[in-house]
Amino acid sequence: MVATVQPALIGLVADDPEWRNTLRTALEQEGFQVRHQRVPRTLQELLASSSAVDPAVLLVINLPNQRFDLPSALRFIEQFRRQDRARLLLLLADDARESERVDLLEAGADDVLVCPFGLRELVARCRALLRGLRRGQRGGRSTSEPSVLESGAIRLYREECRVVLDDAEVVLTPREFRLLECFMLRPGRVLSRAQLLELVWGPDYSGKTKSVDVHVWWLRHKLDRPGCASAFVTVRGVGYRFVPEAPTY
């Protein structure tokens, strides 16, 4: 008996029915399964409807300007990530400046695509995100790697995708979590920005290395303690090194 491979599932959330059908047709023609719906009237409805979908799905959401301004979109992403830290999230924005796209990515979106865009680009972005997910699943950790990583007051629970600092949970975006995990798996090693982009963002990422600096800044902001040296050490002209501490207990 030959095993069949289930096509990747995409949750498509968009208001305009003609636009939604165009996107659905393009994705289905490329072999994806698509579940589609209108954008709910409130963030709460969108959170509820999204959380009901299989968590393995890539969620593609069109955020129309007339309903979601930037602050409300950031609020939605932050609330969504509190409920679901693992699901891939691709946002389609009617309009967004570079600084706004950075804010959306920092809040927890995995990618942002700004209108106008070609359907081929949308399909390529979906595939790139799913490839990164599959690489992580295939490459998972070996049996010799621990499920909990510790450094001083920081504990990273890999199975649960959560981080605790001094017994208090710290909310990280998926990319911040992956970056911290990457550092904690390689304590004391100097990692170049290019290496970090490859390990965390994936080989398909075509953005700037500045993204690494921004994410390290956020890790410092969330995990460094007043009066203590940062665990994230800048190696000038190269990248960063994570300096581990002994467990505090």
Side-chain angles (χ1 to χ4, degrees), residues 43-79:
L43 292 172
Q44 288 71 24
E45 290 174 10
L46 183 52
L47 285 165
S49 61
S50 300
S51 62
V53 179
D54 183 336
V57 75
L58 162 61
L59 197 60
V60 178
I61 302 178
N62 183 44
L63 298 179
N65 283 344
Q66 65 268 28
R67 188 170 305 174
F68 290 103
D69 57 12
L70 181 64
S72 64
L74 294 174
R75 230 174 11 254
F76 157 68
I77 298 172
E78 289 166 358
Q79 292 173 22

Side-chain angles (χ1 to χ4, degrees), residues 25 58 75 85 108 135 157 167-168 178 216 222 228 230:
T25 299
L58 162 61
R75 230 174 11 254
R85 300 185 185 183
R135 274 194 300 271
Y157 296 86
D167 297 321
R178 291 195 293 267
V216 170
K222 294 180 178 182
C228 298
S230 177

Side-chain angles (χ1 to χ4, degrees), residues 10 15 34 38 45 48 70 91 112 119 123 140 157 209 236 248:
I10 292 179
D15 260 348
V34 181
R38 290 180 57 87
E45 290 174 10
L70 181 64
L91 298 182
V112 179
L119 294 176
V123 170
Y157 296 86
T209 57
R236 195 168 183 177
T248 55

Side-chain angles (χ1 to χ4, degrees), residues 10-13 27 57-63 76-77 80-81 87-93 105 108-114 117 121-129:
I10 292 179
L12 176 62
V13 183
L27 291 167
V57 75
L58 162 61
L59 197 60
V60 178
I61 302 178
N62 183 44
L63 298 179
F76 157 68
I77 298 172
F80 181 83
R81 283 305 181 204
R87 192 192 312 267
L88 294 169
L89 187 59
L90 170 58
L91 298 182
L92 309 180
L105 291 167
D110 291 288
D111 199 358
V112 179
L113 192 54
V114 179
F117 55 82
E121 182 179 5
L122 170 64
V123 170
R125 297 281 188 113
C126 291
R127 284 180 172 157
L129 288 171

Side-chain angles (χ1 to χ4, degrees), residues 152-153 165-166 220 223-229 245 248:
L165 176 68
D166 287 326
R220 286 171 172 162
L223 296 173
D224 284 356
R225 291 178 295 171
C228 298
E245 299 178 36
T248 55

Side-chain angles (χ1 to χ4, degrees), residues 178-224:
R178 291 195 293 267
L179 183 59
L180 177 61
E181 182 183 35
C182 178
F183 277 128
M184 294 183 75
L185 284 170
R186 300 162 181 83
R189 284 180 52 184
V190 177
L191 297 172
S192 70
R193 291 173 177 82
Q195 284 177 300
L196 291 168
L197 286 174
E198 172 80 17
L199 290 166
V200 179
W201 280 256
D204 300 300
Y205 180 75
S206 58
K208 300 178 180 178
T209 57
K210 182 70 174 174
S211 296
V212 174
D213 301 322
V214 172
H215 280 74
V216 170
W217 187 91
W218 277 110
L219 287 179
R220 286 171 172 162
H221 177 71
K222 294 180 178 182
L223 296 173
D224 284 356

